[in-house]
Every structure is written in structure tokens, then in C-alpha cells.
Amino acid sequence: MGNRSPIVCYALLAIGWLSVVLGVIGIFLPVLPTTPFLLLAAGCFARSSPRFYAWLVNHPRLGPWIRDYLDGNGIPLKGKVYAIGLMWLSIGLSCYLVPLPWARGFMLTSAVLVTIYILRQKTLPPRPN
């Protein structure tokens, strides 16, 4: 678990596994994005458990979703649309609930920058199920 506190490592593991579950559900349910959840899981595992990271990246069914992105091949259009849509939905709700103008500005600026980043990534053709 490296130099991180055990609480941080366990939180990253929990978020990672929750993301794996949501990513797998997203393969079958068109309302959940698969790629962003699996990338989040990979990021959490990379910081908390090299064993789970290796398992996920080398998994025969889940690994290709992550490796495509890590290898610079891009993100599926569905993943881009859902990631951007869910991000703006959550930022919009957060801006509605948070009355501080500086916080709203920070959230909106972050959302714009992340949107630009996602849109600039290569787009992969849809995967056959």
C-alpha cells in the first residue's frame, strides 16, 4: 500500500471495487458508462494495490477497455458522452447547492477543462457485445 495511510488505501480500494462493479453493469446497461468507471478503478488500484491494478488491466474482458485508453487508442463515443453528461449533471447540481461564487467558478472551470480533455481524446468505434 506504499506510503499512504491505511484509511486512504482502504478508501481507494473501496472506490476502485465500486467502480469495477458499476463498470461491469455499464457493459450491459446503456445508462451507465463503462470506460470512465473502469479508468477510475484502475486509477484507484494503481494508488492502493498493484495486485488489483495488474488483475484489472490484464483481465480478458475488462482489461481492453483500460488498455485502449492507456495505449492512446482512445475512448468509445458512448464513454465520452456519458462521462461528460454525468459530469455536467453533477456539476450543475453542485453549483445549485453551493452558494459560494468562487466554488461555483472553480467547479465550472474544472468541468470545462475536463470536457475539453475528454473531447480531445481519440474516439474508439463501438465494441461488439
Side-chain angles (χ1 to χ4, degrees), residues 36-96:
F37 282 121
L38 293 179
L39 289 174
L40 176 59
C44 289
F45 290 157
R47 289 161 183 77
S48 63
S49 173
R51 181 178 64 142
F52 289 144
Y53 176 79
W55 169 83
L56 183 60
V57 171
N58 295 312
H59 191 278
R61 298 286 289 166
L62 304 177
W65 297 86
I66 299 160
R67 288 192 307 269
D68 282 339
Y69 175 79
L70 294 177
D71 293 343
N73 296 329
I75 302 171
L77 180 60
K78 176 183 167 185
K80 286 183 172 188
V81 169
Y82 283 120
I84 292 170
L86 289 173
M87 177 184 61
W88 279 101
L89 185 67
S90 65
I91 292 292
L93 179 62
S94 298
C95 284
Y96 175 76

Side-chain angles (χ1 to χ4, degrees), residues 9 11 15 21 32 35 42 47 51 57 72 83 89 92 97 104 120:
C9 286
I15 293 167
V21 169
L32 280 178
T35 305
R47 289 161 183 77
R51 181 178 64 142
V57 171
L89 185 67
L97 296 174
R104 287 179 177 171
R120 292 188 70 193

